[in-house]
């Protein structure tokens, strides 16, 4: 079957709806576009929120969001794009977790929606209206989504876990090991 179906149109809308804003948010961090603070401003924010070194953290977050969002939107290397975006949103959710779940209070609701949607697209695939389809799915093999998501989850767990430990140490300096 090569005809476009409703499912393909739905996946295109989902990819663009997640990938577009992710791209924009990442370019705020990397280039200061769309009213963002660029790498230097984002690096300062990252340091203040426990991600060190700040500049490396800002660049990594920007690439995960802008790069992952671009790949998702285009439907190219969809497993890698979805995994990168989901990992980036895990890091962002950690920053917002102290405010609870709901976005109106500054919580991690939106980060969760983007991350879960990105992971879902990585698993289900981009549909026929995608560059992956046009390229014969060379960058979207069946084994790639589980591998990319597992690697991204492990990396996100390490980064967020290190941040959490750093924040605990900064709150309780007397408990630091000598």
């Amino acid at each position: 079957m090569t005809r476009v179906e409703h499912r393909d149109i739905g996946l295109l809308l989902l990819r663009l709806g997640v990938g577009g804003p992710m791209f924009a948010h990442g370019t705020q961090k990397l280039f200061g576009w769309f009213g963002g603070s660029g790498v230097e401003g984002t690096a300062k924010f990252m340091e203040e929120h426990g991600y060190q070194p700040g500049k490396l953290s800002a660049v990594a977050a920007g690439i995960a969001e802008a790069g992952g969002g671009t790949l998702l939107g285009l439907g190219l290397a969809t497993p890698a794009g979805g995994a990168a975006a989901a990992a980036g949103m895990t890091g962002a959710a950690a920053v917002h977790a102290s405010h609870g779940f709901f976005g109106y209070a500054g919580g991690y609701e939106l980060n969760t929606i983007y991350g879960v949607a990105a992971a879902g697209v990585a698993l289900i695939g981009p549909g026929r209206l995608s560059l992956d389809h046009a390229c014969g799915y060379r960058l979207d093999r069946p084994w790639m989504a589980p591998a990319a998501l597992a690697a991204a989850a492990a990396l996100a767990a390490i980064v967020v876990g290190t941040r959490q430990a750093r924040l605990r140490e900064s709150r309780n300096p007397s408990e630091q090991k000598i």
Side-chain angles (χ1 to χ4, degrees):
M1 238 189 217
T2 57
R3 105 186 137 90
V4 174
E5 296 177 359
H6 289 122
R7 176 182 179 275
D8 301 308
I9 296 168
L11 284 167
L12 174 64
L13 290 174
L14 181 59
R15 289 192 348 257
L16 293 174
V18 172
M22 293 277 306
F23 167 81
H25 200 68
T27 60
Q28 286 180 312
K29 288 177 173 65
L30 293 172
F31 311 117
W33 296 356
F34 308 109
S37 57
V39 171
E40 296 304 320
T42 303
K44 183 179 176 190
F45 176 86
M46 296 295 235
E47 290 271 348
E48 290 169 356
H49 288 86
Y51 288 110
Q52 296 177 6
K55 191 168 187 173
L56 176 63
S57 298
V59 170
I63 289 171
E65 293 173 9
T70 299
L71 292 174
L72 278 175
L74 295 172
L76 178 65
T78 303
M89 290 298 94
T90 300
V95 170
H96 295 277
S98 63
H99 300 286
F101 178 72
F102 293 103
Y104 74 86
Y108 58 96
E109 176 181 17
L110 188 58
N111 309 116
T112 301
I113 292 168
Y114 280 141
V116 169
V121 171
L123 287 168
I124 198 167
R128 289 184 183 100
L129 300 174
S130 67
L131 290 179
D132 276 336
H133 178 74
C135 295
Y137 294 96
R138 285 186 211 116
L139 301 175
D140 186 4
R141 301 289 186 199
W143 61 269
M144 291 178 179
L149 289 168
L155 183 59
I158 291 167
V159 170
V160 170
T162 301
R163 172 192 178 262
Q164 296 300 104
R166 187 174 292 118
L167 291 175
R168 275 192 303 276
E169 288 175 8
S170 70
R171 282 186 229 130
N172 302 314
S174 63
E175 295 179 16
Q176 291 181 6
K177 295 179 182 176
I178 298 176

